[in-house]
Amino acid sequence: MQNIIDNALEYVKEVFETDYSGHDYFHTFRVYKTATNIAIKEKANLEIVQLAALLHDVDDVKLSPETHTNKDKARSFLRINSVEETTMEAICQIIDEISYKGKDSVIPKTLEGKCVQDADRLDAIGAIGIARAFAYGGNHNRVIHNPNINPNLDMDAKEYRNHISTTINHFYEKLFKLKDLMNTDIAKIIAQDRERYMKEYISEFMDEWEGIR
């Protein structure tokens, strides 16, 4: 088991070594560590959780649209490392379910999927979530803030994927919704503190934007 995990760590390091959008190797590693901690508390299958966490972005539609549908990169890695077919299918199902898709987002069918989804969403909020939001926005040529552009709070999956907005609007369109979408008790507790931090940051941002501070 550890050998496969080590191989997966090396694999994702190679895949994401040139990513500057906030979906880098360190994001994957944090999701892996957080998902492991949640899985231990929830008594989930560690092998499935850890491998799904490590591979969760390799076929992401934003990063690798050509492999997204069939999860080609994840399947190739798992087959090369002789992972059983049933385990591979469980991992690919988790990868398919965890992404935020606006009002089309789904709750994973398995406990393992819930652990990975929570870990991925926790990394999108709090101090690191703020940094990642601005990194992604800059990487995609988005303006930081434009008060004349209102957030769209009711997007389906297609609208959310194609939507071009501002980084500040992203907090309202996604990040401030994540606390209430957590699945596990431990993730709900962590999310409360991280959301509080983000709201304090946005309040400070708006004061500075208006020249109050």
Side-chain angles (χ1 to χ4, degrees), residues 14-163:
E14 293 174 7
V15 170
F16 298 118
E17 65 178 343
T18 59
D19 184 275
Y20 305 102
S21 73
H23 295 83
D24 56 12
Y25 165 75
F26 295 104
H27 161 64
T28 293
F29 186 73
R30 288 191 303 270
V31 172
Y32 158 69
K33 296 293 287 186
T34 302
T36 297
N37 291 335
I38 294 173
I40 290 171
K41 291 181 173 64
E42 295 290 329
K43 297 181 172 56
N45 183 306
L46 267 183
E47 178 185 17
I48 291 175
V49 167
Q50 290 180 327
L51 287 173
L54 287 168
L55 299 172
H56 82 278
D57 267 346
V58 299
D59 294 296
D60 186 280
V61 67
K62 299 184 297 296
L63 309 174
S64 185
E66 69 279 3
T67 70
H68 170 70
T69 301
N70 294 320
K71 309 295 180 286
D72 296 330
K73 292 180 181 177
R75 290 181 185 279
S76 176
F77 172 84
L78 294 169
R79 288 194 177 107
I80 288 171
N81 284 271
S82 302
V83 173
E84 292 183 1
E85 192 74 20
T86 54
T87 300
M88 180 173 66
E89 291 306 320
I91 291 167
C92 288
Q93 177 180 307
I94 290 171
I95 294 171
D96 199 48
E97 292 175 339
I98 67 169
S99 292
Y100 182 80
K101 301 173 183 176
K103 60 186 179 183
D104 289 332
S105 301
V106 300
I107 298 172
K109 296 180 177 66
T110 64
L111 174 59
E112 289 73 24
K114 292 174 182 177
C115 293
V116 179
Q117 186 182 72
D118 282 357
D120 188 39
R121 288 178 172 178
L122 284 173
D123 206 60
I125 59 178
I128 286 177
I130 292 169
R132 291 184 65 222
F134 286 106
Y136 186 87
N139 190 259
H140 287 75
N141 301 314
R142 292 182 178 178
V143 298
I144 293 174
H145 179 48
N146 184 337
N148 297 317
I149 302 175
N150 294 320
N152 186 341
L153 304 178
D154 190 37
M155 292 182 280
D156 60 23
K158 183 177 180 180
E159 289 172 316
Y160 180 76
R161 187 166 62 251
N162 297 321
H163 182 59

Side-chain angles (χ1 to χ4, degrees), residues 182-194:
M182 296 295 166
N183 303 292
T184 62
D185 289 340
I186 184 62
K188 291 175 183 177
I189 293 170
I190 297 170
Q192 288 179 353
D193 286 338
R194 296 194 182 190

